[in-house]
Every structure is written in C-alpha cells, then in structure tokens.
Amino acid sequence: RKEVEQDPGPFNVPEGATVAFNCTYSNSASQSFFWYRQDCRKEPKLLMSVYSSGNEDGRFTAQLNRASQYISLLIRDSKLSDSATYLCVVKFNTDKLIFGTGTRLQVFP
Amino acid sequence: DGGITQSPKYLFRKEGQNVTLSCEQNLNHDAMYWYRQDPGQGLRLIYYSQIVNDFQKGDIAEGYSVSREKKESFPLTVTSAQKNPTAFYLCASSVLAGGYEQYFGPGTRLTVT
C-alpha cells in the first residue's frame, strides 16, 4: 500500500461546479497535512495546510479525518483557472514530507 | 522580493558528464530540499539539509551529491553514476525541518542524452 494515495483523475467538471478530492494515508501517526497545487510543467505551490478542525480559504475547504486516515479538499464554484493537479502531502514521524502523485482537475466552460 | 530561484530552467547534457543545479533562497529558511519528479510519479526526496554544513540522504540519493556551505545556497550535482538523470528537479525550503510548509523554486528540467 502506498504511503499517500490519491485518485489520479482526471476530474472533468463544468465551471461553477463543486468538486471534492480525497487522499488516504497509511501512517496513523501522521502529524501534518497539506494540499499543494501544481500547474503543468511548473513547481508545486502551497494551497493550504490542513488542521484537525478543518479550514477554509475562500472557495477551498480542507478537512482531516484521523479515524479513517484521509484528508479532503472541496472546491466550490470552480473556475477555469482551478484546472491543475492537486497534490496531497503528509508528514509522517520523520522530518520528511511524503507527496501523493496528485489528482488532476480539468474545469471546462 | 523573497523567494527561491533555480537555474537554469532547462539543461542539456551528454551522458557521462556531471552537472550542477543551482538553488538559492532569500527567505532566511534553515531547511532546504531537493526532489525529482518523473512523469506520473510523486516527488521523490534526493537530499535535504536542516542547517548549514549539514545534510542527509533522502530516498533516492545514489548518483547525487550536495553541499550546504551557505544558508542561502544548496546546489545539487548530478553525477555520471546516476542511471536515469533525465527528470524535473525541484528545490524547496522551509523555515525549519520537520513538517513545516515547504516552498518550491521553479525547477530545472534536465535532459541527458
């Protein structure tokens, strides 16, 4: 089993739709969680950290479910500019971050 | 204007040559990292450094070497011993090691023929 698993997609959604991605992780002792966004042939950019209580930033909401060992990202009112690959990132009990392979989102007009 | 810079953006080398990729940050971050990304794969950690004059091997260090003589700089050398060097190389930094958010440079796309 991979340490961090994501559905590769693509998720094809129309503008204005709501879309959600999940990411599962294998280590119950995981301590920190992040979502990054990566555009084609560009570097990953931090989208948001994921806190135990969940957090929201505009149209983006992240949730953590420790019991089931997954985190989620919800995007409301999708924009064309949201088209990208979304990387789930988890810190296990080391100094390293583990990156998922990403979920590709394509928003169409 | 704070950030991480990597140069060059594209690099072409012949097999058997060593090549050094540059990474500089002016964020005053203690920790720096090198990853490689191959198509359809997640980022894989090559080396990381928690502090000046110290670095540790990541998951795929074979065929690579690094140095950390200055806080701002963490160059990566891809040696001829690296079997499959063609990849997208990403440098990142974080305020401290240990699970803090990492910020990435724009990457160097290396092609070895």
Side-chain angles (χ1 to χ4, degrees), chain A residues 10-21 37 39 59-60 75-86 103-109:
Chain A
F11 285 59
N12 296 303
V13 303
E15 271 186 293
T18 295
V19 62
F21 313 131
R37 170 199 169 119
D39 293 290
R59 298 181 293 108
F60 298 83
I75 305 175
R76 289 181 297 277
D77 188 22
S78 298
K79 312 288 184 194
L80 294 175
S81 57
D82 293 333
S83 298
T85 297
Y86 291 84
T103 297
R104 195 155 73 87
L105 171 65
Q106 184 66 48
V107 181
F108 58 87

Side-chain angles (χ1 to χ4, degrees), chain B residues 3 11 14 20 22 27 36 43 49 68 70 74 76-77 84 88 94 96 101:
Chain B
L11 191 53
K14 295 287 187 188
T20 297
S22 164
L27 299 167
R36 73 175 272 169
L43 275 69
S49 167
R68 187 88 187 277
K70 298 188 299 181
F74 190 41
L76 173 75
T77 297
N84 297 296
F88 186 37
S94 61
L96 294 169
E101 295 93 341

